[in-house]
Each structure stands twice: as structure tokens, then as C-alpha cells.
Amino acid sequence: MDVAYITNAERLAALQRYDILDTPPDGTFDRVARIAARIFHVPIALVSLVDQDRIWFKAREGLSGVTEIPCAPGLCASVVCQDQTYLVTDALQDPRTRENPLVVGEFGLRFYAAAPLITHDRYRLGTVCVIDREPRPALKPEELAILEDLAGIVIDQMEIRLAARQTLESLVLAEGGSDNLANPEALITICAWSKKVRIDGEWVSFEEFLERRFGMRVTHGISREAMRRALLEWKSRSASTAPQAAAAD
């Protein structure tokens, strides 16, 4: 575990900006943990966030009565120190984990796979991980990709909530009061799945919400990350259609 990265002030500030630590259970994140457990047929799946000296579980499937553990024995702290998925097929045989208290102790961890939660500005905040108390074969590349996608969904949800909170704060300032902060859902309701905002009883896109409420229009600029994703999607589509075009010729 890279203690310097775990305690890095900029990483911790990135974690704090989402205001998610020690929040109540949330259906969306709980659903991600349940889906992970079902897909990988494991007894335990977690959505974890790595704070300065603890690993806090935002969602837990198959693990009751535990909301956090210290960073030191936690594997999730090791995951956030790298960009790649982290895989341990038999923790008793793996030199990275065979002396870990979670492995040699009562918990009896044997199999562990995790994808880091990576923000748009490349800070690694936690994991989506799956755990078994029995050794298991290595995951296939497509299975590791599923873990990465689930981690991406968690980050997307965190970003949506951050954007909603920032919009709410701007709205309260514009309307000249702070009392409404006690009941933010009365002002803004966002669908967790379609990402649409309810306004005047109608579900509209976030862009349309901004235009109706504030007269704002989304610019035509595109971020570096969005450009990268668009390019990767275009390359993927081009690669899949090339053989068909060649066959037609």
C-alpha cells in the first residue's frame, strides 16, 4: 500500500468534494453491489471508499454489521494505488496477501477482485470489489471489464449527485435564501437511471432543466475525457464494420 498516495491532500480533497462519506444507504449503490455479487457468483460484493485512515463501505452485499475497516489490513487501499483492476485468486498463496489479517484471520478471505473508482481528473477514491472465502480461477478479461464498468457507474452517480448539489446551491443563492437546503428534493429531483430532472411534473434532460430554470445553454465545447471516449467508440465501430465492408466488396 502506498501510504503517500492514500494520504495525499489532493486525493483526499477530491474524495471530500463528493460529500459521500458516512451517508445513509443508497439504492443505486446498493444495486451495484447486488449486481456484482450476482454476476460473479460471490457471497460478498462492496462499494468502498478509501479515506485517510479507513475504508468505508458505501454499499455492502453479503457483509452485515461492518461499515468500515482500517486502511492497513484492507485490500481496497492497495487497489486505489494503481489504475488497473486488482485480482487475487488464492490469497494464501499470493505474496501480496498471504500475511494479511483478513486472509489469515477469522474472516478467511481467499479470492478478491476489484476495479478502482477513478474520477474524471484521475483520482482513485475507492473500489467496486467482489470477495469469496474460497479460491477461484482468474477472471477473464471481459469479466474484469465488467468490474470496471460497474466502477464507472458508481463514479457517474457520484458526479450526478455532485452536479445536482452544486446546481442546488446556485439555485438557493439565486433565490436569496438557505432554508430550502433542509429539503433539497423539493427543489430538484433527478432520476438515477435516465439522469433526467423533474420540473413542473415533467421529466426533462439536465440541459433543458438548466435552460428553463436559469436561461443557460450548454456550450458546444467538449472535454478531453469526452473526446477520448468518443474516439474510442468511433474506433470500435469502425473495426466492427470493416470486415462487413470487405466481405461486400
Side-chain angles (χ1 to χ4, degrees):
M1 182 180 73
D2 184 352
V3 177
Y5 183 76
I6 297 298
T7 58
N8 177 270
E10 292 182 354
R11 190 195 76 86
L12 292 172
L15 176 60
Q16 291 296 328
R17 75 185 175 208
Y18 293 99
D19 197 22
I20 191 172
L21 291 172
D22 300 310
T23 54
D26 186 294
T28 301
F29 298 105
D30 291 343
R31 193 171 291 116
V32 168
R34 286 198 301 271
I35 290 172
R38 290 171 183 168
I39 288 176
F40 295 98
H41 305 288
V42 295
I44 299 171
L46 306 169
V47 176
S48 72
L49 293 163
V50 179
D51 201 0
Q52 182 170 359
D53 55 3
R54 61 172 177 157
I55 299 168
W56 181 74
F57 303 130
K58 176 58 182 172
R60 300 167 291 152
E61 178 67 16
L63 184 66
S64 60
V66 180
T67 59
E68 64 180 62
I69 61 173
C71 271
L75 293 175
C76 296
S78 297
V79 178
V80 301
C81 296
Q82 62 180 46
D83 286 327
Q84 298 79 26
T85 50
Y86 191 99
L87 178 63
V88 177
T89 58
D90 187 346
L92 276 178
Q93 304 301 322
D94 195 307
R96 298 172 296 175
T97 56
R98 60 191 176 199
E99 296 181 2
N100 189 295
L102 296 175
V103 176
V104 298
E106 182 179 355
F107 187 75
L109 182 148
R110 293 295 179 269
F111 173 85
Y112 177 86
L117 304 176
I118 305 177
T119 67
H120 65 279
D121 46 359
R122 307 306 298 172
Y123 290 107
R124 300 180 295 274
L125 306 183
T127 76
V128 172
C129 65
V130 292
I131 297 169
D132 201 345
R133 292 187 171 94
E134 299 291 336
R136 296 170 63 104
L139 297 181
K140 299 176 182 177
E142 56 267 29
E143 292 174 316
L144 295 174
I146 290 173
L147 265 184
E148 293 172 356
D149 284 339
L150 291 173
I153 290 172
V154 170
I155 285 292
D156 287 346
Q157 289 297 317
M158 291 169 60
E159 292 288 355
I160 289 169
R161 284 158 167 69
L162 175 61
R165 192 178 77 247
Q166 291 173 337
T167 301
L168 173 61
E169 290 169 354
S170 298
L171 177 62
V172 170
L173 289 174
E175 295 186 349
S178 59
D179 292 342
N180 288 329
L181 282 174
N183 186 19
E185 290 80 6
L187 293 174
I188 300 177
T189 302
I190 300 178
C191 174
W193 293 105
S194 68
K195 316 301 187 292
K196 290 187 176 182
V197 182
R198 188 167 62 194
I199 179 172
D200 299 327
E202 179 184 1
W203 289 100
V204 301
S205 68
F206 191 69
E207 291 83 356
E208 186 173 351
F209 166 78
L210 292 176
E211 183 174 357
R212 286 194 191 184
R213 184 59 63 91
F214 301 108
M216 297 171 57
R217 291 185 178 272
V218 177
T219 70
H220 295 289
I222 182 168
S223 70
R224 186 184 300 273
E225 177 64 17
M227 181 71 77
R228 185 186 70 83
R229 291 186 180 182
L231 181 60
L232 290 175
E233 291 176 2
W234 176 80
K235 287 182 177 180
S236 177
R237 288 195 301 269
S238 298
S240 62
T241 57
Q244 298 177 12
D249 292 340

